[in-house]
Amino acid sequence: DAGVTQSPTHLIKTRGQHVTLRCSPISGHKSVSWYQQVLGQGPQFIFQYYEKEERGRGNFPDRFSARQFPNYSSELNVNALLLGDSALYLCASSLGSGSTEAFFGQGTRLTVV
Amino acid sequence: DQQVKQNSPSLSVQEGRISILNCDYTNSMFDYFLWYKKYPAEGPTFLISISSIKDKNEDGRFTVFLNKSAKHLSLHIVPSQPGDSAVYFCAASARMTGYSTLTFGKGTMLLVSP
């Protein structure tokens, strides 16, 4: 039974470029959340999507955007990359928007050079 | 403004002894608390949780205690095993808001030596 899958696992981008990260939730889960984890910190909430609608947004600039598809998979997009965007990006899936047990993927390690 | 604080960056314990990881929070809206365990190059793995209506929850070797008046929770691991060596994150959620995002602490690295 597949857990949360994220792709790619690693990525290197140049400053100013754009990146798209992908996430497939656990089968039956309708909510996907994105978190950013920089070295030495805990994960920071970026977005939550439920039934293709944005349900929450963390304190991140407009360069960050996301969407959820009819099959509940999700994409996180980051434009005009900065060195400070280098981090582990984690996707979490849960049954519903009010569900508190979130299950995380292995993350995408983004390095901006 | 850190709403969830894990003040000990690291903890070393001998195999078989008790590990106690601590977490403090400041936001009174938090009503659900979780502990996650993270190995390098993996995503966080859910360990145990507790609702604010309880003061204790137990699952095998893991017990979480919640002291609402002190806004403090702790995770006890008994007995500790070398495979428990990982970074442990405390997280909190405000379910009453209708959607549940998690606010994490910075983590505590636990090292259990044989």
Side-chain angles (χ1 to χ4, degrees):
Chain A
D1 201 14
V4 180
T5 57
Q6 291 186 243
S7 62
T9 54
H10 295 84
L11 201 52
I12 299 175
K13 289 286 191 177
T14 304
R15 272 181 300 174
Q17 284 189 315
H18 162 270
V19 69
T20 298
L21 311 181
R22 296 178 175 83
C23 172
S24 292
I26 292 170
S27 177
H29 284 196
K30 298 182 178 181
S31 179
V32 170
S33 298
W34 287 94
Y35 290 80
Q36 180 196 64
Q37 186 184 11
V38 299
L39 203 60
Q41 303 290 321
Q44 297 284 314
F45 170 70
I46 310 175
F47 286 109
Q48 185 191 43
Y49 275 78
Y50 175 69
E51 290 283 12
K52 303 185 293 294
E53 290 189 3
E54 181 182 303
R55 289 298 187 97
R57 183 183 183 117
N59 189 22
F60 280 80
D62 291 343
R63 299 185 295 108
F64 288 76
S65 63
R67 54 180 176 166
Q68 186 177 34
F69 299 99
N71 66 354
Y72 303 111
S73 67
S74 178
E75 282 182 356
L76 175 70
N77 295 284
V78 187
N79 291 325
L81 285 166
L82 303 174
L83 295 179
D85 295 331
S86 296
L88 180 68
Y89 288 85
L90 295 161
C91 172
S93 84
S94 53
L95 276 171
S97 64
S99 303
T100 38
E101 274 83 19
F103 299 87
F104 285 84
Q106 84 283 4
T108 294
R109 172 69 63 186
L110 172 65
T111 303
V112 183
V113 296
Chain B
D1 177 28
Q2 253 197 300
Q3 299 185 64
V4 177
K5 299 177 186 178
Q6 294 177 257
N7 292 319
S8 298
S10 63
L11 175 67
S12 291
V13 171
Q14 275 195 313
E15 182 178 7
R17 307 294 287 265
I18 183 171
S19 296
I20 300 176
L21 295 95
N22 293 304
C23 177
D24 297 294
Y25 62 96
T26 57
N27 189 339
S28 300
M29 299 284 283
F30 289 146
D31 57 2
Y32 201 79
F33 304 89
L34 307 90
W35 286 93
Y36 283 84
K37 173 179 174 180
K38 187 178 184 302
Y39 294 115
E42 293 185 13
T45 302
F46 170 73
L47 207 53
I48 192 169
S49 61
I50 188 166
S51 164
S52 59
I53 63 172
K54 294 185 174 183
D55 54 17
K56 177 182 174 181
N57 189 25
E58 210 169 336
D59 184 2
R61 296 186 298 113
F62 303 92
T63 303
V64 56
F65 295 92
L66 175 63
N67 182 334
K68 279 176 56 181
S69 60
K71 293 192 174 68
H72 176 83
L73 61 154
S74 60
L75 174 68
H76 292 211
I77 306 174
V78 184
S80 301
Q81 300 173 353
D84 296 329
S85 298
V87 177
Y88 288 77
F89 289 100
C90 171
S93 174
R95 290 186 300 180
M96 65 179 77
T97 59
Y99 65 93
S100 296
T101 62
L102 298 175
T103 301
F104 284 85
K106 289 186 177 183
T108 296
M109 180 177 292
L110 173 66
L111 178 63
V112 181
S113 53

